[in-house]
Amino acid sequence: MTGPSTLGQRSWPDLDGKTITLVVPLGSVEQHGPHLPLDADTRIAAAVADGVCDGTSGEDVLRAPDLNYGASGEHEGFPGTISIGHDALKAMLVEYGRSACRWARRILFVNGHGGNTRTLIEAVSLLRYEGRDAAWFPCAFPDADAHAGFTETSVLLHVSPESVALERAVAGNREPVGALLGAMRESGVAAVSPNGVLGDPAGATADEGRRLLDDVTGQLRSALSSWEVDGRGRLT
């Protein structure tokens, strides 16, 4: 294809008769501590999608507009969070996939928010049961802290440095997430971390963020080439 690389900038004749893999960034609008923007997860998913769509040759890979809202109920104790919940998100993803797969060969949701995972498994599994070639892929960083700590702060310093308020970056609850799950399920993140951070952003750098993002983008690029989907609908 020539011209713009995003779906929203195309006209329908640009796509007619093409073999398209549609890459859809999925994020959230939720608190990310005092120092990171509410749409941090969407920015990360969008950056991974951009990296893949800009660097993939062969079959046409087209980047869709971002899906900004997710299932973020655990963060609703903080102003700014907007969660549409599991049921609404599942319905949106299923209808999105049904519509897109009328003309796209494949659809891939690139997920930046862990709270969307259960919904993605159910929605993509249904789409695949219906005969649509759908999958999802997580923006998962090895050895990452849980939320708004070193990992996400580093990635945002690389992706959107102007949106990171380092002067407000402070540690939150640094206990292992497994030890906090019970309290978070009952009362949300605010019950275990008054500032919304699970981890410590100290030492975060743009260089580390670039390394982390390049690693995930490379994994996704390789997975797109092989297109192997597991029993949960995840591209592996």
Side-chain angles (χ1 to χ4, degrees), residues 12-34:
W12 74 261
D14 297 331
L15 310 179
D16 195 25
K18 302 292 184 180
T19 303
I20 303 292
T21 296
L22 187 65
V23 177
V24 188
L26 173 64
S28 67
V29 176
E30 64 181 42
Q31 73 83 20
H32 274 77

Side-chain angles (χ1 to χ4, degrees), residues 1 6 12 17-18 30 35 44 47-48 51 61 66 76 80 89-90 93 120 131-132 156 159 190 195 198 219 229:
M1 285 186 178
T6 60
W12 74 261
K18 302 292 184 180
E30 64 181 42
H35 63 295
I44 292 171
V48 172
V61 178
D66 303 340
E76 286 184 321
L89 179 60
K90 179 180 176 181
L93 295 175
L120 278 162
R132 297 171 175 89
L156 265 293
V159 172
N195 69 357
L198 299 174
Q219 291 176 36
V229 183

Side-chain angles (χ1 to χ4, degrees), residues 102-125:
R102 292 178 64 87
W103 53 269
R105 177 187 178 189
R106 292 169 171 165
I107 182 170
L108 174 69
F109 297 104
V110 177
N111 181 42
H113 171 50
N116 295 335
T117 302
R118 177 173 72 96
T119 313
L120 278 162
I121 292 170
E122 293 187 17
V124 170
S125 294

